[in-house]
Amino acid sequence: FEMKTDNHVLIVGAGIVGLTAAALLSQTNKHYCIHVIDINKPVNSHFNEDYDLRVSALSRGSVDVFKKLRIWEKILAKRAFPYRNMKVWDANDIADGSTAIHFEASNYGLAELGFITENNQVHAELKGLIETTNVSLHYETSIKSLEKSKNRDGLVIQLSNNQNLNIDLLIGADGANSATRELFDIEIKKHDYERKAFVVHVETESDHLDTAWQRFLSDGPIALLPLGKNEASIVWSTTTQQIELIKNLTNDSLNRLLSEATDHVLGNLKVISEYASFDLKYQHAKTYTKDNFVVIGDAAHCIHPLAGQGLNLGIADASYLVDVMNTTLRKHEYIGDRYSLRVFERERKSANWMMLNFVDMLHKLFLNSSNIIENLRGFGMRLFNRNSFIKRYAMKKALGIDI
């Protein structure tokens, strides 16, 4: 049977999530005419010997999406670091203590739990892939005006480069401060964590053993994510005051501070990069869809980085949305119809809501320093460690696959 071949899609935001959606749609490109715009200049994507400061822990679910796009091998060939174990412990215990939580890939018959990858490398491979397809990609471009089409379903959009488009579906993948979300008056539920994430790469005295380490301190968690041999990336959720203090430290003092904050679990640490910080907030769109419109990725939700799930949730959004769109076409229905988009919203909003609130609860639980809560926390962590059912369920959710 013939499908409608002129399904026009505009994706706003050429980050990892937006480009993933475009790449997946272009795999079924007979049926889609795809435009991607981004307000920013294109980023320089030449491979760099220095690590990108922004790294992500890609879950197996995300890796599967990149395998489907045939770019995973290229990412691996350049640089991606497997983590096979995870250790989480409270500041008042030690990494091998009775309340520490330990996950091992081998317990689930897996070679690894996931991979630490640099965001700019993933982005470069996606952009390279997009350039081989018929997706039209425009940088330094935004929406100038938008209105409902008078003589057909859909939207008439004028871009800032004065190009006019008739669009069946507009996908907002334009990040936490999404302009498209505002255009469609979508409200968000949000609260500020009044914390920043401090990010820096370090050389470690001891071998990281392909393990992601995370210690919960009184002001927020500090994670050591494995990079190359004896190298790791630190992501520390801490107060603005602590970050101000860090800015005035000598290198030696910063090395000492980070070694102590991570309980010398990898020995003495030595800073080997610039550092950066960014604000942390909880944010969730009250609805993901309107007629001819859907939000995905950070435009729909922002999560605390303590579980390393932010990018994975966005990639899962993109993948599921494309599945829903393809199913809609097979049923000879209209991709811009809110009724068909609601299938996407129901699935992803509940999955994202669970992850956002689980992480939010963990964050609050570990910041609470009352003795009762500390004792309960220790009890809970011991219980979690011993209950293989709960542990397996948590792993399934975090890895984005069935195990």
Side-chain angles (χ1 to χ4, degrees):
F1 64 91
E2 280 299 301
M3 291 194 202
K4 178 171 176 271
T5 53
D6 54 346
N7 294 281
H8 290 264
V9 180
L10 172 62
I11 298 170
V12 180
I16 292 174
V17 173
L19 292 184
T20 298
L24 288 167
L25 284 172
S26 75
Q27 278 193 339
T28 44
N29 62 15
K30 299 184 289 296
H31 317 303
Y32 298 108
C33 174
I34 308 155
H35 302 267
V36 181
I37 62 170
D38 196 290
I39 200 163
N40 301 305
K41 288 187 167 78
V43 285
N44 174 3
S45 52
H46 293 301
F47 185 70
N48 196 330
E49 283 311 304
D50 294 330
Y51 297 125
D52 181 22
L53 261 185
R54 294 298 292 265
V55 300
S56 292
L58 286 186
S59 68
R60 293 182 65 93
S62 296
V63 168
D64 287 345
V65 171
F66 294 146
K67 280 182 178 167
K68 191 173 163 186
L69 291 172
R70 299 191 183 86
I71 59 168
W72 180 245
E73 290 307 318
K74 294 177 182 171
I75 294 168
L76 264 188
K78 283 188 178 167
R79 228 171 15 213
F81 305 101
Y83 63 100
R84 299 189 164 89
N85 311 291
M86 233 166 111
K87 285 200 169 182
V88 181
W89 75 105
D90 205 344
N92 56 17
D93 197 3
I94 54 170
D96 289 322
S98 64
T99 65
I101 293 175
H102 189 190
F103 292 105
E104 285 177 61
S106 56
N107 288 348
Y108 304 96
L110 302 172
E112 67 283 311
L113 296 173
F115 290 84
I116 306 299
T117 54
E118 297 153 81
N119 289 18
N120 66 355
Q121 296 307 324
V122 176
H123 189 262
E125 290 307 331
L126 279 165
K127 188 163 172 273
L129 171 63
I130 290 289
E131 283 161 0
T132 68
T133 68
N134 60 354
V135 172
S136 61
L137 178 57
H138 299 279
Y139 286 93
E140 296 180 76
T141 306
S142 57
I143 293 176
K144 190 169 164 184
S145 71
L146 171 152
E147 57 187 51
K148 274 279 190 206
S149 180
K150 291 185 180 64
N151 51 1
R152 56 178 290 222
D153 291 330
L155 305 168
V156 179
I157 292 176
Q158 188 181 29
L159 300 179
S160 57
N161 60 9
N162 289 327
Q163 189 179 357
N164 286 323
L165 302 173
N166 287 306
I167 293 297
D168 296 300
L169 182 62
L170 174 62
I171 300 174
D174 48 347
N177 302 319
S178 167
T180 55
R181 193 183 60 219
E182 303 240 316
L183 260 181
F184 283 83
D185 291 329
I186 288 181
E187 288 180 39
I188 48 173
K189 181 182 180 208
K190 64 187 266 190
H191 57 255
D192 197 318
Y193 284 115
E194 291 167 7
R195 294 277 183 287
K196 283 184 182 293
F198 171 79
V199 186
V200 71
H201 298 326
V202 293
E203 192 179 280
T204 64
E205 188 179 3
S206 318
D207 189 330
H208 52 58
L209 307 169
D210 295 338
T211 300
W213 309 79
Q214 181 156 255
R215 184 184 189 213
F216 278 91
L217 303 169
S218 58
D219 60 353
I222 185 166
L224 278 163
L225 307 173
L227 297 175
K229 190 168 166 51
N230 287 61
E231 291 168 319
S233 178
I234 282 184
V235 183
W236 185 3
S237 308
T238 186
T239 58
T240 312
Q241 295 91 310
Q242 177 75 280
I243 287 174
E244 285 309 310
L245 196 130
I246 284 171
K247 285 178 186 167
N248 298 316
L249 292 180
T250 61
N251 274 1
D252 282 354
S253 304
L254 180 55
N255 293 343
R256 262 201 309 279
L257 175 71
L258 295 175
S259 307
E260 282 164 19
T262 53
D263 204 20
H264 293 87
V265 71
L266 296 180
N268 291 317
L269 306 179
K270 181 177 164 219
V271 168
I272 54 170
S273 72
E274 299 287 303
Y275 58 77
S277 64
F278 51 94
D279 292 328
L280 299 180
K281 56 188 169 189
Y282 170 109
Q283 202 166 281
H284 203 193
K286 292 193 175 171
T287 176
Y288 285 17
T289 59
K290 296 238 171 149
D291 282 330
N292 309 100
F293 180 64
V294 60
V295 278
I296 60 174
D298 285 358
H301 43 77
C302 290
I303 188 170
H304 192 288
L306 73 85
Q309 287 300 315
L311 185 57
N312 294 317
L313 296 180
I315 291 167
D317 288 350
S319 175
Y320 194 77
L321 175 61
V322 172
D323 286 349
V324 167
M325 288 167 70
N326 291 340
T327 304
T328 302
L329 287 191
R330 277 199 299 275
K331 292 179 174 170
H332 298 282
E333 290 170 356
Y334 180 54
I335 59 164
D337 185 7
R338 191 170 184 196
Y339 170 77
S340 56
L341 293 169
R342 290 277 299 164
V343 178
F344 161 77
E345 173 164 37
R346 276 195 299 275
E347 167 69 23
R348 291 306 307 156
K349 195 177 177 193
S350 63
N352 292 334
W353 184 89
M354 271 182 70
M355 187 61 82
L356 260 86
N357 286 290
F358 173 66
V359 168
D360 190 53
M361 180 195 75
L362 274 184
H363 174 71
K364 289 180 177 136
L365 188 64
F366 279 96
L367 283 189
N368 193 316
S369 55
S370 82
N371 281 348
I372 297 170
I373 295 288
E374 269 186 24
N375 291 335
L376 272 174
R377 212 162 53 209
F379 171 74
M381 287 170 88
R382 275 193 289 271
L383 188 70
F384 184 91
N385 247 347
R386 293 194 191 124
N387 189 319
S388 58
F389 172 77
I390 298 177
K391 225 171 164 181
R392 182 172 284 266
Y393 179 77
M395 283 320 284
K396 262 171 76 162
K397 291 291 172 202
L399 300 183
I401 54 164
D402 279 328
I403 50 172

